[in-house]
Amino acid sequence: MTPATQTTTIDPTALLAKLGIEPVHSGAYAGEWLATTGAELEVTSPGTGEVIGRVRQATAAEYDRVVEAAQEAFGRWRQLPAPIRGEYVRRMGNAMREKKDELGAIVTLEMGKILQEGLGEVQEAIDIADFAVGQSRMLYGLSMHSERPGHAMREQWHPLGTIGIISAFNFPSAVWAWNSMIALICGDACVWKPSPKTPLTAIAMTNVCRPVLEEAGFGALLGLAIGTNEEVGERLVNDKRLPLVSFTGSSAVGGQVAGKVASRFGRTILELGGNNAMVVTENADLDLAIPAILFGSVGTAGQRCTSTRRLILHESVADEVESRLIKAYGQIQIGNPLDPKTLCGPLIDQVAVDNMHKTLEQAKAEGAEVLCGGESITLDGAEAGGHYVTPCLVRAKNEMQCVQNETFAPIVYLMRYSSLDDAIAMHNAVPQGLSSAIFTLNVREAETFLSAAGSDCGIANVNIGTSGAEIGGAFGGEKETGGGRESGSDAWKAYMRRQTNTVNWSTELPLAQGIQFG
């Protein structure tokens, strides 16, 4: 694997100016940018290591101002008809369309994913806005038949309140949009704490969308608080004013968040760890499987929660798959994520690089065999360095601790099986349960994998990889992945409160269950 030479650059100062980001920008938006007084956060590009921006973080007091403004705006917003709320979301989606190139570039510059993926992530935010517009006319309840004469029953859905959103670095715009666009059409306000590794994207998304709401006095619905865990994160999680917290991050931290929110009788949407596997059977079309494995494992440098981390290969095709993958991995262009020839950009920071190396050392100690990759590399022409590694293939056993844990890096473990029952048992024998896939042209194998006795994940695919979910389906997983659902399908219900109504239009007062009283 040879690194690609850096040939494409972006002027960070010019890009930030186009997105309305000041050299030292405020870290709190409450319908207007606040004069924040917290510590200065220095933002570096993982591709070069250079400083690309600075944010003055919010303090606890400034966080409170964001929530108070969101609460006030919520009280007015919830009274608008849902289709009117949808019209505002439609206009925000169009605003993102107009700035798609700039938003995609800031994602790539700040997070490190290749430009095609950065643009794709922004498109995902646009798509969920479009989806939400339609959903604003479909917040359906039910009508039910009462057992009592002259009575009618129905179920309806009401806005829930101000929603807390804590997002991770790897999808710095899309995850916020999954939550906020749906929450807005449901009648809610939002308060967003983005990852401190990608705050500029959060400011950019806010700047692009806020004018649509500001002109009607609703800007505070898009509350933003960039700050430390002590000043903002802990306060948000424990804030009784926020009936729902959507958290994206590790299973370990997600468990802590869930406990704290539950202790105050709040709700959570948890999008946590993934240890996603692909089963390749003897009936697989390998010409389909190999590219799916490559994108699933190398896309975003293995830093997607849906990245392919385990390959469960039938013993009759395992040698061929390994051989083809080793050859393909040797041709992967690693380097500047702005270069259109690059397929694998950097890891987010040096901590991520160190974690990858520690995992590989653990794997070797457990008896795993590294087939290729796993080295740190320096790019030609990179002045300030960067956090680049070579994607890695490791022959291992599913029960190894290194395999059981999720490492946010381009490491794929290869294992073999003889029967489909064994493959499914191996597949399910990890703590996480996000995304899964099987490659087979045999309908019985496919349907078995999708059955109740098959994959235990929230997402199960046939003849496509584990990575790259569409917004139309509910996104999320089971077990230590958290059980939450975001984005499409009926995920909107998490952002609303359910109410059952019974109306007596008769002249009598019969009791349910035939009870006679008095």
Side-chain angles (χ1 to χ4, degrees):
M1 293 177 235
T2 56
T5 302
Q6 286 187 310
T7 57
T8 305
T9 60
I10 283 181
D11 180 356
T13 302
L15 177 61
L16 267 57
K18 288 181 181 179
L19 292 166
I21 303 174
E22 299 175 355
V24 181
H25 203 283
S26 165
Y29 176 76
E32 61 180 356
W33 289 107
L34 304 181
T36 44
T37 57
E40 186 177 289
L41 177 64
E42 196 172 75
V43 185
T44 60
S45 171
T48 63
E50 66 178 323
V51 176
I52 56 174
R54 291 176 172 85
V55 177
R56 179 68 64 186
Q57 296 181 91
T59 63
E62 290 144 8
Y63 161 81
D64 279 336
R65 289 179 61 187
V66 171
V67 176
E68 288 165 6
Q71 289 283 79
E72 189 280 329
F74 164 70
R76 294 179 287 114
W77 179 251
R78 66 183 174 181
Q79 298 180 60
L80 293 184
I84 301 299
R85 301 193 294 254
E87 172 60 18
Y88 283 99
V89 170
R90 182 188 67 80
R91 292 170 57 196
M92 282 187 277
N94 286 340
M96 287 187 277
R97 276 188 176 86
E98 293 174 3
K99 289 287 187 179
K100 178 180 174 180
D101 288 346
E102 292 85 354
L103 290 170
I106 193 65
V107 169
T108 292
L109 190 66
E110 184 178 43
M111 185 269 152
K113 63 178 63 175
I114 63 174
L115 185 56
Q116 276 297 306
E117 291 191 68
L119 293 169
E121 179 177 346
V122 176
Q123 186 61 51
E124 197 167 356
I126 295 166
D127 290 345
I128 197 63
D130 289 349
F131 180 93
V133 174
Q135 190 68 65
S136 70
R137 294 180 181 271
M138 298 184 293
L139 303 178
Y140 295 137
L142 299 171
S143 63
M144 296 164 280
H145 292 276
S146 172
E147 67 186 59
R148 291 170 281 186
H151 287 57
M153 293 181 66
R154 71 183 185 195
E155 175 185 275
Q156 59 180 337
W157 297 83
H158 293 307
L160 184 60
T162 299
I163 308 305
I165 303 169
I166 302 176
S167 62
F169 75 86
N170 60 330
F171 278 85
S173 64
V175 169
W176 169 75
W178 286 358
N179 285 276
S180 62
M181 297 299 111
I182 300 296
L184 286 171
I185 61 102
C186 289
D188 300 329
C190 300
V191 172
W192 182 15
K193 182 194 180 301
S195 167
K197 298 176 183 180
T198 51
L200 301 180
T201 299
I203 294 170
M205 294 294 288
T206 302
N207 274 345
V208 168
C209 292
R210 66 183 173 84
V212 174
L213 294 173
E214 282 180 351
E215 66 182 36
F218 287 116
L221 294 171
L222 298 180
L224 177 65
I226 300 167
T228 64
N229 286 334
E230 293 76 18
E231 292 284 322
V232 174
E234 289 286 339
R235 196 169 186 84
L236 186 155
V237 168
N238 293 307
D239 197 335
K240 292 184 177 180
R241 295 169 294 182
L242 308 182
L244 171 66
V245 174
S246 173
F247 174 82
T248 303
S250 70
S251 296
V253 178
Q256 297 174 19
V257 169
K260 292 176 180 179
V261 176
S263 71
R264 61 176 177 82
F265 298 99
R267 307 181 194 173
T268 53
I269 298 174
L270 301 174
E271 299 292 353
L272 311 177
N275 197 346
N276 316 294
M278 180 190 297
V279 177
V280 181
T281 81
E282 68 268 43
N283 299 302
D285 180 342
L286 297 186
D287 291 336
L288 281 180
I290 298 300
I293 294 167
L294 282 173
F295 177 70
S297 57
V298 177
T300 322
Q303 296 173 116
R304 289 178 174 236
C305 50
T306 55
S307 290
T308 305
R309 310 212 179 274
R310 296 179 295 141
L311 289 179
I312 302 172
L313 310 172
H314 190 270
E315 55 193 13
S316 67
V317 298
D319 287 341
E320 181 179 356
V321 171
E322 285 186 5
S323 175
R324 291 176 66 168
L325 283 176
I326 291 170
K327 181 179 179 181
Y329 268 49
Q331 299 171 348
I332 293 170
Q333 290 291 317
I334 305 162
N336 176 10
L338 295 170
D339 189 325
K341 297 189 298 293
T342 297
L343 293 180
C344 183
L347 296 183
I348 187 65
D349 54 24
Q350 188 59 41
V351 173
V353 175
D354 293 342
N355 285 339
M356 178 176 178
H357 291 320
K358 289 176 184 177
T359 296
L360 290 176
E361 287 303 312
Q362 178 189 0
K364 293 174 186 176
E366 292 186 81
E369 179 186 357
V370 176
L371 300 180
C372 68
E375 304 91 359
S376 292
I377 59 174
T378 301
L379 291 187
D380 296 336
E383 296 179 2
H387 309 297
Y388 295 92
V389 296
T390 54
C392 187
L393 297 170
V394 180
R395 191 181 291 154
K397 295 182 179 179
N398 199 65
E399 61 270 20
M400 291 178 176
Q401 194 58 49
C402 60
V403 178
Q404 292 289 305
N405 297 332
E406 179 193 36
T407 302
F408 235 47
I411 301 174
V412 181
Y413 299 104
L414 285 69
M415 296 160 282
R416 302 185 179 205
Y417 77 93
S418 56
S419 74
L420 185 60
D421 287 344
D422 291 339
I424 291 173
M426 190 184 305
H427 174 280
N428 293 345
V430 292
Q432 311 85 355
L434 179 52
S435 186
S436 60
I438 188 170
F439 272 76
T440 179
L441 299 180
N442 183 304
V443 68
R444 289 178 176 171
E445 289 181 331
E447 291 295 341
T448 298
F449 188 75
L450 300 181
S451 74
S455 167
D456 63 358
C457 292
I459 299 169
N461 299 326
V462 176
N463 293 330
I464 62 170
T466 63
S467 192
E470 298 181 30
I471 58 93
F475 181 90
E478 304 299 330
K479 302 189 295 188
E480 289 187 9
T481 301
R485 294 296 187 274
E486 295 172 334
S487 193
S489 186
D490 66 348
W492 61 269
K493 292 180 179 179
Y495 305 89
M496 306 196 81
R497 58 182 177 88
R498 186 196 308 252
Q499 185 181 81
T500 301
N501 310 133
T502 305
V503 178
N504 180 3
W505 49 271
S506 74
T507 57
E508 304 293 332
L509 191 63
L511 298 176
Q513 292 84 47
I515 295 173
Q516 299 296 317
F517 188 74

